[in-house]
Amino acid sequence: MNYLIEDENFLTDKEKIFLNKEFERIPFFYTKRIGVYRRDAPVMVHGLVSRYDDPKVDNTKDRNTSPYTKFFLQILIRFTKKYNIPFNKILRGSINLTTKVEWDKTIVHVDHNSNHAVFMLYLGNEVHGNLNVYEDDKKTMIKTIEPKNFKIVCFGDNVPHQFEYPKNGLRRAVVFTFD
């Protein structure tokens, strides 16, 4: 693993106020089934940036899909500059919301076949569902990260990981993958 950064105090007070105001309700999500992590486990997704590797997407055009994209991209770019993380392009971006399902956790996975980093910003006063980070063998756990409101977790170099579904409450995270 190239790096694993946890920062609970990165956001400005102004950003925290905006997030608390805008995301106390969940009016903009839609249901989508994800086939990679669990073929039949629903996740609520609000797209921020369409997938770079989606054959239906014209990568020569703007891939931003939300009025919130610019706000979150500014945070991501500021974060990568602070920690000297190489940044070329966004591979995908979304706000993911999961609730209790019949499984405990997703499979251990990497998000893309190409080299990439993962940026996660947890949202909500009641955030549940740990993040587990693994060695390349996908069996040896390096660390379990507990989500907290406004906490940012960023890791690079195609790190295998999984998230635990909440036993109660919600797991809401802004997720960007980038290279």
Side-chain angles (χ1 to χ4, degrees), residues 26-92:
I26 311 169
F28 53 82
F29 288 93
Y30 62 89
T31 301
K32 178 181 181 183
R33 298 200 181 271
I34 52 175
V36 175
Y37 311 128
R38 288 282 185 191
R39 293 213 181 277
D40 47 4
V43 62
M44 306 291 267
V45 176
H46 176 76
L48 296 170
V49 179
S50 57
R51 288 186 71 99
Y52 187 79
D53 57 358
D54 185 340
K56 297 176 270 185
V57 172
D58 182 354
N59 287 314
T60 64
K61 295 184 178 172
D62 185 1
R63 296 175 20 243
N64 296 347
T65 59
S66 168
Y68 297 106
T69 301
K70 183 177 177 183
F71 174 80
F72 288 116
L73 279 177
Q74 289 173 343
I75 293 169
L76 170 64
I77 291 167
R78 198 172 79 239
F79 187 87
T80 58
K81 285 180 180 177
K82 175 182 178 180
Y83 288 101
N84 295 316
I85 299 169
F87 180 89
N88 180 33
K89 68 180 175 288
I90 299 291
L91 300 176
R92 74 170 175 88

Side-chain angles (χ1 to χ4, degrees), residues 8 11 31 33 168 171:
E8 294 183 29
L11 299 180
T31 301
R33 298 200 181 271
N168 57 52
R171 178 186 179 275

